[in-house]
Amino acid sequence: MQIVKLPAGEAPPPDTDCIRIQQREDGRFLLEGSVLFRCGDVDSAESVSLVGGDAYASYDDAEAAGLAWADDHCVETLHVARSAGSEPLPDAA
């Protein structure tokens, strides 16, 4: 999977697979995502969303969960967005 990390506050391009990580006031992180499910022999991709859930203790935990979720849905290119006002994203591995 190719990972494209966007600068803080930059929205992912329309119609792309993405996860969004937002830092809460208490320092924990929320994760949301929207991808097209492309696994297996499918005639057309189906839109899948990740919304809600428990907050993560660290950015790395939220990102790891988001990357695993996207991988489970056979994403080829994933955009990673982070809320404005947050510190810069770690470099892509």
Side-chain angles (χ1 to χ4, degrees):
M1 173 172 44
Q2 179 182 357
I3 300 168
V4 179
K5 293 189 179 186
L6 303 170
E10 184 175 316
D15 301 326
T16 60
D17 295 329
C18 66
I19 58 171
R20 293 174 191 85
I21 301 170
Q22 180 179 10
Q23 188 170 9
R24 296 180 357 167
E25 288 183 17
D26 67 1
R28 297 174 59 184
F29 295 85
L30 299 176
L31 172 65
E32 294 180 345
S34 176
V35 301
L36 291 177
F37 180 76
R38 294 183 182 91
C39 295
D41 225 1
V42 295
D43 292 332
S44 63
E46 179 181 332
S47 180
V48 180
S49 295
L50 172 66
V51 180
D54 294 332
Y56 294 87
S58 71
Y59 172 85
D60 290 337
D61 290 344
E63 182 181 64
L67 295 177
W69 175 79
D71 190 51
D72 287 346
H73 291 88
C74 305
V75 170
E76 295 173 7
T77 301
L78 181 69
H79 288 78
V80 179
R82 186 166 178 177
S83 59
S86 298
E87 294 184 21
L89 292 170
D91 291 334

